[in-house]
Amino acid sequence: MVVILRLRNKIILYAFILLCFMILSYSIYNIVVWKLDSNNTNKQIEEVQETVKVEEVIDTENTEIIEPVEEIPKSNPYWDYMKMNMIDINFNELKNINNDVKGWIKVNGTNINYPFVQSNNNKYYLTHSFDKSYNSAGWLFLDYRNNINNNKNTIIYAHGRNDKTMFGSLRTVLTKNWLSNTNNYIIKISTEKENSLWQIFSTYHIPTTSDYLQTNFESDIEYQEFLDMIKDRSSYNFNTNVNSNDNILTLSTCYNNSDKMVVHAKLIKKEQK
């Protein structure tokens, strides 16, 4: 009986050691894969940023100001935003690398300064880099339902990488340091057809939901209800009104394993190219 108990205990011990070894091996494998994907992503970013020049352009007679419905006090930073330059990108070289490219996005006060792409679904670029090579870090991509220059709600996704690449630095917008600088409340986008300036009006993280990812609205009333919902969610009051005449931009990423990190901005200035 004693021999049998000892044998059973040894079997349990060996099984436990084997399980620990398997868990350790799996963890090491994931760390190695993550590091390799991170290195490849950083290399891809460097190559992309060396390929193109992000130029700031001054307003011209063709610049269109999206007139606010409400009166905005002269002390509001909105008037400073109107003086900000937009960015302009020549997409010829980028399209030689990937003809899925749709635009370039720069978010003030973050590391986000990348081209974004679009596929015929919202899965492909979760696991593929800008050059379409397999990479778990993915890339920034436009919702497949969107038409980049004609939407009420334009949505861009990316992974929230811990190394601050892709949308990894987006959670910075929730910090006091970022919020203390009103010049950060601006997103700049350049596409093949137009350059545009967007003013942030809502930032938050929320348990995973898809209710902020709506792209089509049956009426202005439905759209206004949607705008009120996402504005009221904001963890910070940007003192920026939005109405059914506005086009908005939504940036979505992971905040943690159960929450999403979301930023909403409204179009305030654009110029056809």
Side-chain angles (χ1 to χ4, degrees), residues 239-256:
N239 293 313
T240 301
N241 293 325
V242 284
N243 60 73
S244 58
N245 293 317
D246 289 317
N247 291 338
I248 69 168
L249 171 70
T250 296
L251 309 183
S252 178
T253 190
C254 291
Y255 182 79
N256 54 36

Side-chain angles (χ1 to χ4, degrees), residues 139-266:
W139 199 261
L140 283 68
F141 63 95
L142 183 69
D143 193 296
Y144 77 96
R145 299 168 295 174
N146 281 144
N147 176 333
I148 184 57
N149 292 310
N150 185 25
N151 288 164
K152 280 297 186 181
N153 184 17
T154 298
I155 307 167
I156 300 177
Y157 308 89
H159 287 305
R161 300 281 291 175
N162 288 331
D163 60 2
K164 306 301 182 184
T165 59
M166 303 298 94
F167 276 176
S169 63
L170 194 61
R171 66 185 62 192
T172 303
V173 305
L174 300 177
T175 65
K176 289 183 178 179
N177 284 341
W178 189 91
L179 291 167
S180 65
N181 184 353
T182 57
N183 286 335
N184 286 336
Y185 304 172
I186 286 295
I187 298 173
K188 301 179 180 184
I189 288 182
S190 179
T191 69
E192 287 189 278
K193 293 184 178 181
E194 71 176 27
N195 302 321
S196 54
L197 202 67
W198 305 73
Q199 182 181 359
I200 293 174
F201 65 87
S202 180
T203 59
Y204 55 88
H205 67 86
I206 189 172
T208 298
T209 176
S210 61
D211 63 357
Y212 63 90
L213 300 175
Q214 186 172 348
T215 57
N216 293 314
F217 304 89
E218 296 295 329
S219 66
D220 286 347
I221 294 176
E222 181 187 7
Y223 184 45
Q224 187 62 58
E225 290 174 348
F226 173 82
L227 294 174
D228 292 341
M229 175 188 74
I230 60 177
K231 181 183 176 184
D232 290 342
R233 280 182 181 169
S234 184
S235 58
Y236 180 80
N237 183 7
F238 289 90
N239 293 313
T240 301
N241 293 325
V242 284
N243 60 73
S244 58
N245 293 317
D246 289 317
N247 291 338
I248 69 168
L249 171 70
T250 296
L251 309 183
S252 178
T253 190
C254 291
Y255 182 79
N256 54 36
N257 290 334
S258 60
D259 283 19
K260 294 296 185 183
M261 173 71 218
V262 187
V263 172
H264 300 288
K266 71 172 186 177

